[in-house]
Amino acid sequence: MMLGYIGTYTCTLETTWVRSLKEKRALIKPVTEKLKARYPVTVARLDGLDAHDWETIGVVTLSNDHQWVQDTLRMVSEVMHTSGCEVTNEHTSIVPLEEVMDVPEDPEEPEE
């Protein structure tokens, strides 16, 4: 029995026309806030915080339904593509929780 799935989505947003960090933050923050308000996801600004022309965003979600995780990450990607920034280096991954946790094979059996 699968416990669930962890879905991750990362992308780099190119903002080559932006001239300041304040201007970039004004573009990025509404997108990240929209994702958090609309979907049950955690969003993080991962890299490029000190660069004015790009930034890497990461999104994570968790569910016991693989299809739901896949659909949620697809919708996250769609929001990112309509953010007004160019999306590059996009990557999606869905892994079973058992691959990242130390979970016994059969929860009914006690560990020795």
Side-chain angles (χ1 to χ4, degrees):
M1 175 178 97
M2 286 289 194
L3 287 177
Y5 302 90
I6 297 175
T8 61
Y9 170 85
T10 57
C11 72
T12 300
L13 299 176
E14 300 286 339
T15 56
T16 55
W17 63 93
V18 172
R19 297 293 171 225
S20 71
L21 294 176
K22 185 175 181 180
E23 187 179 354
K24 182 183 79 170
R25 191 171 46 251
L27 286 170
I28 303 291
K29 188 171 181 178
V31 176
T32 60
E33 293 301 317
K34 181 179 183 177
L35 288 172
K36 290 188 284 186
R38 206 177 267 190
Y39 306 108
V41 298
T42 298
V43 181
R45 296 171 64 197
L46 300 174
D47 197 10
L49 300 175
D50 294 332
H52 72 276
D53 57 347
W54 67 277
E55 187 159 325
T56 300
I57 304 291
V59 180
V60 177
T61 193
L62 175 71
S63 176
N64 66 341
D65 183 347
H66 186 278
Q67 186 62 48
W68 183 89
V69 172
Q70 188 174 4
D71 291 344
T72 300
L73 295 177
R74 180 187 44 76
M75 290 184 284
V76 165
S77 176
E78 290 171 2
V79 168
M80 297 308 279
H81 281 275
T82 60
S83 68
C85 303
E86 181 183 351
V87 177
T88 62
N89 300 325
E90 190 173 38
H91 179 74
T92 300
S93 174
I94 301 172
V95 296
L97 276 173
E98 289 81 2
E99 287 187 21
V100 295
M101 295 177 59
D102 186 22
V103 178
E105 289 295 320
D106 187 354
E108 301 293 318
E109 293 181 21
E111 289 189 38
E112 295 179 24

